[in-house]
Amino acid sequence: MDDLASITDHQVLLPELFRRLADHVRLFGPALDCFPVYLAGEGEQFHVPEREKAIRGLQHLVEVTGDTVRMTRPIEEVVLVEK
């Protein structure tokens, strides 16, 4: 990730995932290799169509390759559980 424009101007992310990514970059810098672990620690819950029970941890929705974070599910399929 070169700058925040890559996640503010060009891509669609869940707002919660965007906040977690911005917090991670602020706390740990631009290296994303530990981002899934960071997401696991936050414990947000969400639903996807084929699962009856909520899934815990946004790390189940992302794939990190180098400096790229991609959602593995279309945003339309993800419903976050409000705390």
Side-chain angles (χ1 to χ4, degrees), residues 53-74:
K53 292 187 177 185
I55 300 168
R56 182 176 295 275
L58 293 176
Q59 77 276 12
H60 297 290
L61 290 178
V62 298
E63 174 181 278
V64 177
T65 307
D67 63 353
T68 301
V69 176
R70 285 194 175 91
M71 287 184 56
T72 59
R73 306 287 302 234

Side-chain angles (χ1 to χ4, degrees), residues 1-69:
M1 177 169 52
D2 295 328
D3 57 33
L4 284 179
S6 65
I7 60 172
T8 58
D9 299 339
H10 307 293
Q11 303 299 322
V12 177
L13 290 174
L14 291 168
E16 193 64 34
L17 184 56
F18 176 86
R19 284 191 290 277
R20 296 290 176 232
L21 181 56
D23 289 346
H24 183 273
V25 169
R26 246 191 316 276
L27 291 170
F28 305 109
L32 298 174
D33 48 333
C34 293
F35 185 55
V37 175
Y38 178 76
L39 289 175
E42 296 299 326
E44 282 89 5
Q45 292 185 31
F46 63 94
H47 290 276
V48 293
E50 70 275 1
R51 296 274 306 260
E52 200 171 304
K53 292 187 177 185
I55 300 168
R56 182 176 295 275
L58 293 176
Q59 77 276 12
H60 297 290
L61 290 178
V62 298
E63 174 181 278
V64 177
T65 307
D67 63 353
T68 301
V69 176

